[in-house]
């Protein structure tokens, strides 16, 4: 059995969804668990709708939901399956209407409502995919919220893997006795009360890995819009080279430090069950893509990839350690996580000051700081985070490449903040946003 995840661009319109169907064909009689994202842009639209529902007029809200219904209906129509899926699309959009109406009446969009509204994107896209696959295969739609069980930390819920695994084995596995294909949603789950939760933006990759590990899949394939993991984001550096193999550790670092191609938590479940993860191109299914395994290319020296994460904010707290200082710091960090849904990417202590790096723009973080916190000695600064990743960066054979990293960054930025020693596979620097792209391009020349 193979778990296949299709990202937003892979299901963005009828022609993309036809590629999904031909990939299902390509795998012959293999059992497939298809995990899909929402059509591209839909989650962002829904999240905006959820907060806007507090203040927009009833007419405006209706118009926007009609637009969402129209987009899905027209995809279904182009695929010739409107008869099969039209009623389901309408029912789901009615559910969306009621949830948004609740937000409008309450005058507040709670994190719980926001997750409930965001979930409609994946619910809708999977209805269309299953409807199309059903024409030629025995394919069944299943609600991921019955399987992926989480706590109630809305917007970025934590998964209870043991419970999820037992639900997957109990409810999904038997479906393969009568169906070749199961279609379910990425990104969404539910808490112990049955409320809808989400796993954080880009979380469908993680859903696929969780289900793959739970069901002991032979492979997990992440189908996306590029032909694998490259030495840099191909949108920024078009000459970036796709890698054939990569170790779990290297892939984990790459996604942790911001390579959007994989959600950072994806590797953990796959690693725990030693299941190969493949990253492949939906629109060029003949390309081999990248295979991530335990060993990968562990012997490579120097750095193999460079990553730039823009709009990261560095929070610096200094003060005399004492009871109030610790309590205030803990409270501030908790507040940031609650309001922004972010945990610090990096935490470093230098003398009496502590630095936390968040993958969030400055204005998001400054909103989290209240008057009491202002009494603490806090500074906030926006940077770009540049990282170079390689499986053996601490080895002697990589020292020249690491030297090149420092040299290249210093040539472009007079006061970078270097971060090293966090993980053996990375060297990073916080640099001024306006020189980040030039640094990335210059560093890319030194990728091995
Ligand atoms: P999906 O919607 O399929 O989940 P994403 O947009 O989340 O797709 O991730 C794919 C994108 O990741 C690519 O289009 C590419 O621009 C970006 N990306 C960033 N870094 C890398 C990298 N090192 N290798 C490949 N793609 C990368
Ligand atoms: N649809 C969700 C998002 O846009 C999850 C995903 O695509 O992985 O964040
Ligand atoms: Mg993604």
């Amino acid at each position: 059995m193979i778990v296949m995840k299709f990202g937003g661009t892979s299901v963005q319109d009828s022609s993309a969804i036809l590629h999904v169907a031909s990939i299902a064909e390509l795998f012959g009689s293999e059992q497939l668990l298809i995990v899909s994202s929402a059509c591209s842009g839909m989650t962002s639209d829904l999240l905006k709708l959820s907060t806007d529902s507090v203040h927009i007029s009833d007419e405006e809200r209706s118009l926007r939901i009609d637009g969402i219904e129209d987009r899905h209906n027209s995809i279904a129509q182009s695929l010739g399956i409107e008869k099969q899926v039209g009623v389901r699309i309408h029912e789901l959009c009615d559910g969306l209407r009621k949830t948004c109406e609740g937000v409008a009446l309450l005058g507040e969009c709670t994190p719980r409502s926001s997750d409930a509204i965001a979930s409609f994107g994946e619910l809708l896209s999977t209805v269309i995919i299953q409807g199309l696959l059903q024409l030629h295969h025995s394919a069944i739609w299943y609600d991921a919220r019955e399987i992926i069980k989480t706590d109630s930390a809305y917007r970025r819920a934590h998964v209870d893997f043991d419970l999820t695994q037992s639900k997957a084995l109990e409810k999904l596995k038997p479906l393969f006795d009568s169906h070749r294909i199961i279609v379910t949603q990425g990104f969404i789950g539910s808490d112990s009360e049955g409320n809808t939760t989400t796993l954080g933006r880009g979380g469908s990759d993680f859903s696929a890995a969780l289900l793959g590990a739970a069901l002991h899949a032979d492979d997990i394939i992440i189908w996306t819009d590029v032909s694998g993991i490259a030495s840099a984001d191909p949108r920024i550096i078009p000459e970036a080279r796709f890698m054939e193999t990569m170790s779990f550790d290297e892939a984990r670092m790459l996604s942790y430090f911001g390579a959007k191609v994989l959600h950072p938590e994806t590797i953990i479940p796959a690693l725990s069950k030693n299941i190969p993860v493949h990253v492949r191109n939906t629109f060029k299914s003949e390309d081999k893509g990248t295979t991530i395994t335990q060993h990968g290319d562990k012997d490579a020296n120097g750095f193999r990839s460079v990553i730039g994460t823009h709009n990261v904010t560095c929070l610096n707290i200094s003060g005399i350690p004492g009871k109030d200082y610790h309590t205030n710091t803990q409270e501030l960090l908790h507040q940031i996580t609650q309001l922004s849904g972010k945990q610090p990417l990096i935490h470093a202590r230098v003398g009496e000051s502590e630095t936390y790096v968040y993958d969030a723009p400055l204005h998001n973080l400054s909103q989290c700081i209240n008057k009491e916190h202002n009494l603490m000695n806090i500074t906030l600064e926006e940077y770009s985070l540049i990282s170079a990743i390689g499986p053996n960066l601490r080895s002697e054979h990589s020292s020249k490449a690491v030297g090149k990293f420092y040299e290249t960054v210093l040539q472009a930025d007079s006061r970078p903040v270097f971060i090293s020693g966090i993980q053996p596979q990375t060297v990073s620097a916080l640099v001024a946003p306006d020189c980040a792209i030039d640094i990335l391009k210059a560093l890319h020349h030194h990728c091995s």
Side-chain angles (χ1 to χ4, degrees):
M1 191 273 287
I2 296 176
V3 174
M4 290 187 170
K5 176 257 170 176
F6 290 92
T9 35
S10 304
V11 295
Q12 64 186 350
D13 53 25
S14 57
S15 98
I17 295 175
L18 284 172
H19 282 277
V20 173
S22 64
I23 288 168
E25 200 75 54
L26 208 67
F27 280 77
S29 57
E30 185 84 50
Q31 291 177 332
L32 305 178
L33 172 60
I34 292 183
V35 177
S36 181
S37 294
C39 304
S40 74
M42 190 46 66
T43 307
S44 300
D45 288 353
L46 286 165
L47 288 172
K48 184 151 182 358
L49 173 67
S50 71
T51 48
D52 287 356
S53 289
V54 172
H55 59 81
I56 56 178
S57 65
D58 292 350
E59 291 73 32
E60 166 74 15
R61 199 177 65 241
S62 271
L63 275 176
R64 287 213 215 160
I65 300 171
D66 289 349
I68 290 170
E69 186 162 350
D70 286 350
R71 177 170 175 192
H72 290 90
N73 273 334
S74 77
I75 296 176
Q77 216 163 20
S78 315
L79 294 169
I81 52 166
E82 69 274 33
K83 280 212 180 68
Q84 288 87 334
V85 300
V87 173
R88 268 308 274 139
I89 291 175
H90 188 65
E91 282 169 0
L92 284 167
C93 290
D94 264 355
L96 175 61
R97 266 184 202 96
K98 288 202 181 79
T99 318
C100 292
E101 197 181 306
V103 170
L105 285 172
L106 208 67
E108 187 194 1
C109 177
T110 61
R112 190 170 86 181
S113 308
S114 153
D115 273 6
I117 292 171
S119 72
F120 283 98
E122 270 71 9
L123 293 168
L124 284 160
S125 65
T126 49
V127 161
I128 295 178
I129 295 165
Q130 186 266 343
L132 180 67
L133 294 176
Q134 179 65 52
L135 297 180
H136 301 290
H137 311 271
S138 116
I140 185 169
W141 184 92
Y142 206 86
D143 191 330
R145 293 171 297 184
E146 295 202 18
I147 310 293
I148 306 266
K149 299 306 290 184
T150 71
D151 65 7
S152 303
Y154 299 107
R155 297 198 175 122
R156 194 168 187 130
H158 306 104
V159 174
D160 178 338
F161 182 73
D162 291 339
L163 189 53
T164 296
Q165 175 157 40
S166 70
K167 298 266 179 209
L169 291 171
E170 177 202 340
K171 297 185 176 192
L172 285 185
K173 198 160 184 272
L175 294 177
F176 280 124
D177 293 340
S178 44
H179 299 86
R180 174 166 94 85
I181 303 176
I182 304 173
V183 180
T184 193
Q185 306 77 39
F187 183 53
I188 67 173
S190 69
D191 66 9
S192 58
E193 308 274 291
N195 295 312
T196 301
T197 55
T198 63
L199 309 184
R201 294 305 306 268
S204 297
D205 299 331
F206 184 35
S207 304
L210 282 166
L211 293 171
L215 293 169
H216 302 277
D218 298 309
D219 291 277
I220 297 164
I221 309 181
I222 306 291
W223 292 97
T224 183
D225 57 1
V226 286
S227 296
I229 302 184
S231 51
D233 185 341
R235 273 189 227 179
I236 295 169
I237 302 185
E239 63 276 19
R241 189 178 51 82
F242 288 99
M243 290 179 249
E244 264 180 47
T245 56
M246 180 172 280
S247 69
F248 285 130
D249 280 347
E250 194 179 352
R252 203 157 52 87
M253 283 305 109
L254 215 111
S255 54
Y256 185 82
F257 281 94
K260 199 185 161 211
V261 64
L262 278 184
H263 182 274
E265 282 171 278
T266 309
I267 295 302
I268 299 158
L271 172 74
S272 73
K273 298 281 166 77
N274 198 13
I275 303 172
V277 177
H278 311 265
V279 179
R280 298 183 61 178
N281 192 336
T282 305
F283 307 97
K284 289 186 183 168
S285 55
E286 65 285 5
D287 286 0
K288 275 179 72 183
T290 303
T291 296
I292 308 165
T293 57
Q294 194 94 51
H295 190 267
D297 224 346
K298 269 196 170 147
D299 302 327
N301 286 309
F303 48 84
R304 302 211 304 154
S305 58
V306 287
I307 304 153
T309 308
H310 308 290
N311 306 117
V312 302
T313 302
C314 193
L315 166 72
N316 203 63
I317 309 175
S318 54
I320 311 293
K323 188 168 157 283
D324 284 354
Y325 171 80
H326 284 301
T327 320
N328 287 342
T329 304
Q330 286 319 311
E331 198 225 296
L332 173 61
L333 298 179
H334 180 69
Q335 189 155 318
I336 293 175
T337 302
Q338 288 264 298
L339 294 178
S340 69
K342 304 271 181 180
Q343 298 279 2
L345 208 53
I346 296 167
H347 170 210
R349 176 176 290 162
V350 184
E352 278 182 357
S353 78
E354 309 222 35
T355 298
Y356 298 88
V357 178
Y358 284 89
D359 174 11
L362 197 144
H363 66 89
N364 277 14
L365 250 67
S366 54
Q367 284 167 4
C368 306
I369 296 175
N370 59 33
K371 269 200 197 126
E372 278 159 44
H373 297 133
N374 276 334
L375 297 175
M376 300 164 75
N377 207 348
I378 293 173
T379 55
L380 285 177
E381 229 173 321
E382 194 159 296
Y383 287 100
S384 290
L385 176 69
I386 304 285
S387 308
I389 314 274
N392 298 300
L393 274 195
R394 294 287 175 275
S395 89
E396 217 178 285
H397 300 291
S398 296
S399 57
K400 208 169 147 201
V402 173
K404 280 280 173 219
F405 179 87
Y406 290 115
E407 195 183 307
T408 310
V409 171
L410 280 167
Q411 262 167 13
D413 187 338
S414 55
R415 49 189 262 327
V417 182
F418 286 111
I419 299 157
S420 65
I422 306 261
Q423 292 289 342
Q425 304 90 348
T426 60
V427 271
S428 301
L430 292 164
V431 303
D434 57 355
C435 48
I437 300 287
D438 288 343
I439 296 178
L440 268 183
K441 288 183 177 161
L443 281 175
H444 189 254
H445 291 301
H446 302 293
C447 281
S448 55

